[in-house]
Coordinates of all heavy atoms in Angstrom, one line a residue:
K194 N -16.4 -0.3 -15.2 CA -15.8 0.8 -15.8 C -16.0 2.1 -15.0 O -17.2 2.4 -14.8 CB -16.3 0.8 -17.2 CG -16.0 -0.3 -18.1 CD -16.6 -0.1 -19.5 CE -16.2 -1.3 -20.3 NZ -16.6 -1.1 -21.7
L195 N -14.9 2.8 -14.9 CA -15.0 4.1 -14.2 C -14.3 5.2 -15.0 O -13.5 4.8 -15.9 CB -14.2 4.0 -12.8 CG -14.7 3.1 -11.8 CD1 -13.7 3.0 -10.5 CD2 -16.0 3.4 -11.3
P196 N -14.9 6.3 -14.8 CA -14.1 7.5 -15.5 C -12.7 7.7 -14.9 O -12.5 7.2 -13.7 CB -14.9 8.8 -15.0 CG -16.2 8.2 -14.5 CD -16.0 6.8 -14.1
A197 N -11.8 8.1 -15.7 CA -10.3 8.2 -15.3 C -10.1 8.8 -14.0 O -9.3 8.3 -13.1 CB -9.5 8.9 -16.4
P198 N -10.7 10.1 -13.7 CA -10.6 10.6 -12.4 C -10.8 9.9 -11.2 O -10.2 9.8 -10.2 CB -11.2 12.0 -12.4 CG -11.7 12.2 -13.8 CD -11.7 10.7 -14.5
Q199 N -12.0 9.1 -11.4 CA -12.4 8.3 -10.3 C -11.5 7.1 -10.1 O -11.0 6.7 -8.9 CB -13.9 7.8 -10.5 CG -14.5 7.1 -9.4 CD -15.9 6.9 -9.6 OE1 -16.5 6.9 -10.6 NE2 -16.7 6.3 -8.5
Y200 N -11.1 6.4 -11.2 CA -10.3 5.3 -11.1 C -8.9 5.7 -10.6 O -8.4 5.0 -9.6 CB -10.0 4.8 -12.5 CG -9.2 3.6 -12.8 CD1 -9.7 2.3 -12.8 CD2 -7.7 3.7 -12.8 CE1 -8.9 1.2 -12.9 CE2 -6.9 2.6 -12.9 CZ -7.4 1.3 -12.9 OH -6.7 0.2 -13.1
I201 N -8.4 6.8 -11.0 CA -7.1 7.3 -10.6 C -7.1 7.6 -9.1 O -6.2 7.2 -8.3 CB -6.6 8.5 -11.3 CG1 -6.2 7.9 -12.7 CG2 -5.3 9.0 -10.7 CD1 -5.9 9.1 -13.8
D202 N -8.3 8.2 -8.6 CA -8.4 8.5 -7.2 C -8.3 7.2 -6.3 O -7.8 7.1 -5.4 CB -9.6 9.2 -7.0 CG -9.9 9.7 -5.5 OD1 -9.0 10.2 -4.9 OD2 -11.0 9.2 -5.0
Y203 N -9.1 6.3 -6.9 CA -9.1 4.8 -6.1 C -7.7 4.3 -6.0 O -7.3 3.8 -5.0 CB -10.1 4.0 -6.8 CG -11.6 4.2 -6.6 CD1 -12.5 3.5 -7.2 CD2 -12.0 5.4 -5.8 CE1 -13.9 3.7 -7.0 CE2 -13.4 5.6 -5.6 CZ -14.3 4.8 -6.3 OH -15.6 5.1 -6.1
E204 N -7.1 4.3 -7.2 CA -5.8 3.7 -7.3 C -4.8 4.4 -6.3 O -4.1 3.7 -5.6 CB -5.2 3.7 -8.8 CG -6.0 2.8 -9.7 CD -5.6 1.4 -9.5 OE1 -5.9 0.8 -8.5 OE2 -5.1 0.8 -10.6
L205 N -4.8 5.7 -6.5 CA -3.8 6.4 -5.6 C -4.1 6.4 -4.1 O -3.1 6.4 -3.4 CB -3.6 8.0 -6.2 CG -3.1 8.1 -7.5 CD1 -3.1 9.6 -7.9 CD2 -1.6 7.5 -7.6
T206 N -5.3 6.2 -3.8 CA -5.7 6.0 -2.4 C -5.3 4.7 -2.0 O -4.7 4.6 -0.9 CB -7.3 6.2 -2.3 OG1 -7.6 7.5 -2.7 CG2 -7.7 6.0 -0.8
Q207 N -5.5 3.7 -2.8 CA -5.0 2.3 -2.4 C -3.5 2.4 -2.2 O -2.9 1.8 -1.2 CB -5.4 1.3 -3.4 CG -6.8 0.8 -3.2 CD -7.1 -0.4 -4.1 OE1 -6.3 -0.7 -5.0 NE2 -8.1 -1.1 -3.7
V208 N -2.7 3.0 -3.1 CA -1.3 3.1 -2.9 C -0.9 3.8 -1.6 O 0.0 3.3 -0.9 CB -0.7 3.7 -4.2 CG1 0.9 3.9 -4.0 CG2 -0.8 2.8 -5.5
Q209 N -1.5 4.9 -1.5 CA -1.2 5.8 -0.1 C -1.5 4.8 1.0 O -0.7 4.9 2.0 CB -2.1 7.0 -0.2 CG -1.8 7.9 1.0 CD -0.5 8.5 1.0 OE1 -0.2 9.3 0.1 NE2 0.4 8.1 1.9
N210 N -2.5 4.1 1.0 CA -2.9 3.2 2.2 C -1.9 2.2 2.4 O -1.4 1.9 3.5 CB -4.2 2.6 2.0 CG -5.4 3.6 2.2 OD1 -5.2 4.8 2.8 ND2 -6.5 3.4 1.7
L211 N -1.3 1.6 1.3 CA -0.3 0.6 1.5 C 1.0 1.2 1.9 O 1.7 0.6 2.8 CB 0.0 0.0 0.0 CG -1.0 -1.1 -0.4 CD1 -0.8 -1.5 -1.9 CD2 -1.0 -2.3 0.6
L212 N 1.3 2.4 1.5 CA 2.6 3.1 1.8 C 2.5 3.5 3.3 O 3.5 3.5 4.0 CB 2.9 4.2 1.0 CG 3.1 4.1 -0.5 CD1 3.3 5.3 -1.2 CD2 4.3 3.3 -0.6
D213 N 1.3 3.8 3.8 CA 1.2 4.2 5.2 C 1.0 3.0 6.1 O 1.0 3.2 7.4 CB -0.1 5.1 5.4 CG 0.1 6.4 4.7 OD1 1.2 6.8 4.5 OD2 -1.0 7.1 4.4
D214 N 0.8 1.8 5.5 CA 0.6 0.5 6.4 C 1.8 0.1 7.1 O 2.8 -0.4 6.4 CB 0.0 -0.5 5.5 CG -0.6 -1.7 6.4 OD1 -0.1 -1.9 7.5 OD2 -1.5 -2.4 5.8
E215 N 2.0 0.1 8.3 CA 3.1 -0.3 9.1 C 3.4 -1.8 8.9 O 4.6 -2.2 9.0 CB 2.9 0.0 10.6 CG 3.9 -0.1 11.5 CD 5.1 0.8 11.3 OE1 4.9 1.9 10.9 OE2 6.3 0.5 11.6
R216 N 2.5 -2.5 8.5 CA 2.7 -4.0 8.3 C 3.4 -4.3 7.0 O 4.0 -5.2 6.8 CB 1.4 -4.7 8.4 CG 0.7 -4.7 9.7 CD -0.7 -5.2 9.6 NE -1.4 -4.4 8.8 CZ -2.7 -4.5 8.5 NH1 -3.4 -5.5 8.9 NH2 -3.3 -3.6 7.7
V217 N 3.2 -3.2 6.0 CA 3.8 -3.4 4.7 C 5.1 -2.7 4.7 O 6.1 -3.3 4.1 CB 2.9 -2.8 3.6 CG1 3.5 -3.0 2.2 CG2 1.5 -3.5 3.6
F218 N 5.2 -1.5 5.2 CA 6.5 -0.7 5.3 C 6.7 -0.4 6.8 O 6.5 0.7 7.1 CB 6.2 0.6 4.5 CG 6.2 0.4 3.0 CD1 5.0 0.2 2.4 CD2 7.3 0.2 2.2 CE1 4.8 0.1 1.0 CE2 7.3 0.0 0.9 CZ 6.0 -0.1 0.2
P219 N 7.3 -1.3 7.4 CA 7.6 -1.2 8.8 C 8.7 0.0 8.9 O 9.6 0.0 8.3 CB 8.0 -2.5 9.4 CG 8.5 -3.2 8.1 CD 7.8 -2.7 7.0
T220 N 8.4 0.7 10.1 CA 9.4 1.8 10.3 C 10.1 1.6 11.7 O 11.0 2.3 11.9 CB 8.7 3.2 10.4 OG1 7.6 3.2 11.3 CG2 8.1 3.5 9.0
K221 N 9.6 0.7 12.5 CA 10.1 0.5 13.8 C 11.4 -0.5 13.7 O 11.4 -1.4 12.9 CB 9.2 -0.1 14.8 CG 8.0 0.9 15.1 CD 7.0 0.3 16.0 CE 5.9 1.2 16.4 NZ 5.3 2.1 15.3
E222 N 12.4 -0.2 14.5 CA 13.6 -1.0 14.5 C 13.2 -2.4 14.7 O 12.4 -2.8 15.6 CB 14.5 -0.6 15.6 CG 16.0 -1.0 15.5 CD 16.8 -0.5 16.5 OE1 16.5 0.6 17.1 OE2 17.8 -1.0 16.8
R223 N 13.9 -3.3 13.9 CA 13.8 -4.8 14.1 C 12.4 -5.2 13.5 O 12.1 -6.5 13.8 CB 14.1 -5.3 15.4 CG 15.5 -5.0 15.9 CD 15.7 -5.5 17.3 NE 16.9 -4.8 17.8 CZ 17.9 -5.5 18.3 NH1 17.9 -6.9 18.3 NH2 18.9 -4.9 18.9
S224 N 11.7 -4.5 13.0 CA 10.4 -4.9 12.3 C 10.8 -5.5 10.9 O 11.6 -5.0 10.1 CB 9.3 -3.8 12.1 OG 9.0 -3.2 13.3
A225 N 10.1 -6.6 10.7 CA 10.3 -7.3 9.4 C 9.2 -6.9 8.3 O 8.2 -6.6 8.6 CB 10.3 -8.9 9.6
F226 N 9.7 -7.0 7.2 CA 8.9 -6.7 6.0 C 8.1 -8.0 5.8 O 8.6 -9.1 6.1 CB 9.6 -6.3 4.7 CG 10.2 -5.0 4.7 CD1 11.5 -4.8 5.2 CD2 9.5 -4.0 4.1 CE1 12.0 -3.5 5.2 CE2 10.0 -2.7 4.1 CZ 11.2 -2.3 4.6
P227 N 6.8 -7.9 5.2 CA 6.0 -9.1 5.1 C 6.6 -10.0 4.0 O 7.3 -9.6 3.2 CB 4.6 -8.4 4.7 CG 5.0 -7.2 4.1 CD 6.2 -6.7 4.8
R228 N 6.2 -11.2 4.1 CA 6.6 -12.2 3.2 C 6.2 -12.0 1.7 O 7.0 -12.2 0.8 CB 6.1 -13.6 3.5 CG 6.8 -14.2 4.7 CD 6.4 -15.6 5.0 NE 7.0 -16.0 6.2 CZ 6.5 -17.0 7.0 NH1 5.4 -17.7 6.5 NH2 7.0 -17.2 8.1
D229 N 5.1 -11.3 1.6 CA 4.6 -10.9 0.3 C 4.9 -9.5 -0.1 O 4.2 -8.9 -1.1 CB 3.0 -11.1 0.2 CG 2.3 -10.1 1.2 OD1 2.9 -9.5 2.1 OD2 1.0 -10.1 1.1
F230 N 6.0 -9.0 0.4 CA 6.4 -7.6 0.1 C 6.5 -7.4 -1.4 O 6.1 -6.4 -2.0 CB 7.6 -7.3 0.9 CG 8.1 -5.9 0.7 CD1 7.4 -4.8 1.3 CD2 9.2 -5.6 -0.2 CE1 7.9 -3.5 1.1 CE2 9.7 -4.3 -0.4 CZ 9.0 -3.3 0.2
S231 N 7.4 -8.4 -2.1 CA 7.6 -8.1 -3.5 C 6.2 -8.1 -4.3 O 6.1 -7.4 -5.3 CB 8.6 -9.3 -4.0 OG 7.9 -10.5 -3.9
I232 N 5.2 -8.9 -3.9 CA 4.0 -8.9 -4.6 C 3.3 -7.6 -4.4 O 2.8 -7.0 -5.4 CB 3.1 -10.0 -4.1 CG1 3.6 -11.3 -4.4 CG2 1.7 -9.9 -4.6 CD1 3.0 -12.6 -3.7
R233 N 3.4 -7.1 -3.1 CA 2.7 -5.7 -2.9 C 3.4 -4.6 -3.7 O 2.8 -3.7 -4.2 CB 2.7 -5.5 -1.5 CG 1.7 -6.4 -0.7 CD 1.7 -6.1 0.8 NE 1.0 -7.0 1.5 CZ -0.1 -6.7 2.3 NH1 -0.5 -5.5 2.4 NH2 -0.7 -7.6 2.9

């Protein structure tokens, strides 16, 4: 159990890390999205 500010900070940090992850959101031409993209 965490206080809301700490929980939200952790959650938003995880989301930011996923959004910045080239393996999840590829930006290079001809790069494929991962098979588990919909789960992520």
Side-chain angles (χ1 to χ4, degrees):
K194 291 184 179 186
L195 296 175
Q199 188 175 10
Y200 180 96
I201 291 170
D202 179 55
Y203 287 177
E204 292 284 65
L205 293 178
T206 297
Q207 279 192 343
V208 171
Q209 182 69 65
N210 289 339
L211 283 169
L212 295 175
D213 291 342
D214 189 339
E215 186 71 28
R216 295 167 299 180
V217 179
F218 291 95
T220 58
K221 293 180 177 48
E222 189 175 344
R223 299 180 195 235
S224 296
F226 286 89
R228 289 185 188 157
D229 65 346
F230 183 75
S231 64
I232 293 168
R233 291 178 186 241

